[in-house]
Amino acid sequence: MTGTGEEEFWDIYTKDREKTGRLHRRGDEMKEGEFHIVVHVCIFNSRNQLLIQHRQPFKRGWPNMWDLTAGGSALQGENSRQAAEREVFEEIGLKLDLSDVRADFSIGFDEGFDDYYLLEREVDLSQLCLQEEEVQEVRWADREEVLAMQKQGTMIPYWFLDRLFEVRNMCGAHGNSKRDIKTGFASMDNLTSWMNLVEIVRDGFPGLETEEELDGYKETVIKNIERRSAICALRGNMVVGILLFSVKHNMLACMAVHPDYRRRGIAKDMIGLMLNELDRSREIVVTTFREEDPKGTAPRALYRSLGFRPGELCIEQGYPSQIFVLDEK
């Protein structure tokens, strides 16, 4: 008995989110210590726009207001994911498979648990079938539009709206593992986190063994930040990738990626940004480990994949190394 017409039943949970085996009929007053599950689905596109819906003026609860993509209470027998799938299909006619997805965050409220799903989908709005009883229209809106609507009093005042787009990026939005990583030129605000990463990876880089050498490297980073030749990859405010380059020498001088963030294409993204700043009519060089050095397996494979070729053997910082060359265009 999951509800027909106005009759709708919810599973009752304890404060520890354990099913009690009892049911609650929608519209009745919930007793103290009884809780139920509510789901909210936020669908973003690759342009970081949120799909929002305009509620009908005759709908109970926030009538005629703009809302997140879809949401509602879990019915009897449904888990959170199943409720999210059903609500999206019922309200806007979009079929989702969330069997391998968890809610990105959950917030407790007086009578239950609000589960939020942050998804990335490219949705053709013309193909949606809106639930006439609940939804007037849908559209894409960016962060600035959503916050302007909230200020105007036409968007439901979720307290976290100003951070939702940032949370979406941090969570990866289920479908793009790189969504939470941003690559750009470093600023002095990034310096402390940059040096924290250097502390983690310094054992793999000759010339950073002593505190004096670290201090000298820090001064080099500062100079490169000032001349706009320092690139970093950020997750939030944490530096997870670093790259220094020299316009004068047309070379990549230093690059590292946090061990927990490797194999996500971060190094390629940083190199791609660097190449836009260097002279492609000249050779571009980088010094890396020699072929027989175990530390060289990953970087040598990366440089080869980007078109660099092995060049001369050399000694750098007293360590046997090899130059790789990207030929001029």
Side-chain angles (χ1 to χ4, degrees):
M1 198 164 76
T2 58
T4 58
E6 293 300 315
E7 291 258 299
E8 183 174 298
F9 292 88
W10 308 331
D11 288 309
I12 296 175
Y13 293 78
T14 69
K15 63 180 177 60
D16 296 316
R17 199 159 172 158
E18 296 173 345
K19 272 189 179 181
T20 65
R22 302 193 304 276
L23 298 178
H24 173 83
R25 183 170 59 189
R26 179 176 181 172
D28 293 347
E29 184 177 350
M30 294 198 75
K31 299 176 182 178
E32 185 177 352
E34 292 184 342
F35 305 92
H36 73 113
I37 293 175
V38 178
V39 298
H40 305 267
V41 179
C42 306
I43 296 179
F44 295 84
N45 62 20
S46 59
R47 298 171 59 190
N48 206 28
Q49 295 174 314
L50 173 64
L51 180 58
I52 58 176
Q53 64 154 278
H54 196 185
R55 298 162 72 92
Q56 291 285 13
F58 47 79
K59 180 172 171 56
R60 289 186 300 174
W62 305 107
N64 210 34
M65 296 286 282
W66 285 90
D67 196 358
L68 307 175
T69 309
S73 296
L75 301 179
Q76 175 190 356
E78 287 183 329
N79 60 33
S80 176
R81 296 189 304 275
Q82 292 167 337
E85 292 174 349
R86 175 184 53 77
E87 288 289 353
V88 172
F89 184 70
E90 286 183 354
E91 294 186 8
I92 64 173
L94 180 65
K95 190 170 181 60
L96 297 175
D97 180 5
L98 304 181
S99 55
D100 294 325
V101 174
R102 294 183 300 162
D104 288 280
F105 62 95
S106 184
I107 300 174
F109 65 101
D110 289 346
E111 296 181 344
F113 311 93
D114 274 325
D115 288 349
Y116 290 83
Y117 293 83
L118 311 186
L119 312 173
E120 181 172 314
R121 300 289 190 278
E122 299 302 325
V123 179
D124 183 351
L125 303 190
S126 67
Q127 299 300 308
L128 298 181
C129 181
L130 307 185
Q131 186 178 24
E132 187 176 348
E133 297 81 6
E134 297 198 18
V135 183
Q136 298 184 53
E137 57 181 318
V138 295
R139 71 179 183 89
W140 295 106
D142 59 25
R143 181 179 182 274
E144 290 70 26
E145 291 176 289
V146 169
L147 295 183
M149 294 167 71
Q150 183 185 44
K151 187 175 182 179
Q152 294 164 356
T154 58
M155 183 85 184
I156 294 178
Y158 295 99
W159 61 268
F160 52 79
L161 270 181
D162 62 331
R163 303 302 299 273
L164 182 62
F165 290 77
E166 180 180 345
V167 172
R168 176 258 180 161
N169 289 333
M170 294 292 288
C171 291
H174 298 304
N176 188 346
S177 61
K178 290 177 60 179
R179 174 56 60 184
D180 56 341
I181 308 297
K182 302 296 183 182
T183 302
F185 292 98
S187 71
M188 289 301 295
D189 291 338
N190 306 129
L191 181 60
T192 299
S193 185
W194 181 301
M195 294 306 299
N196 283 344
L197 175 54
V198 171
E199 287 281 2
I200 294 171
V201 301
R202 62 188 290 191
D203 289 345
F205 290 85
L208 295 178
E209 290 83 4
T210 68
E211 292 305 311
E212 291 77 12
E213 288 171 326
L214 275 178
D215 289 340
Y217 174 82
K218 183 176 181 179
E219 291 302 316
T220 299
V221 174
I222 292 172
K223 292 177 181 178
N224 278 269
I225 289 175
E226 292 172 345
R227 64 171 70 112
R228 205 168 178 266
S229 55
I231 292 171
C232 67
L234 298 172
R235 184 180 183 190
N237 293 323
M238 182 175 73
V239 173
V240 297
I242 56 177
L243 185 152
L244 299 178
F245 65 93
S246 169
V247 173
K248 179 180 179 180
H249 299 288
N250 221 39
M251 68 178 295
L252 191 165
C254 164
M255 183 176 68
V257 176
H258 192 294
D260 294 341
Y261 292 86
R262 290 170 184 168
R263 292 178 293 279
R264 297 195 190 188
I266 292 174
K268 286 186 178 181
D269 287 346
M270 293 192 297
I271 291 174
L273 182 55
M274 175 198 73
L275 292 178
N276 292 332
E277 304 297 313
L278 297 182
D279 183 357
R280 295 305 307 272
S281 67
R282 300 162 49 204
E283 289 184 343
I284 297 172
V285 299
V286 59
T287 301
T288 188
F289 302 98
R290 295 189 181 185
E291 186 172 11
E292 65 274 12
D293 193 326
K295 296 178 182 178
T297 303
R300 291 173 67 92
L302 169 67
Y303 295 132
R304 284 182 181 274
S305 72
L306 294 174
F308 286 80
R309 59 175 174 78
E312 298 177 359
L313 299 178
C314 62
I315 301 294
E316 185 175 76
Q317 300 289 339
Y319 194 88
S321 306
Q322 184 172 20
I323 295 173
F324 267 58
V325 180
L326 182 63
D327 291 325
E328 66 272 15
K329 282 190 173 181

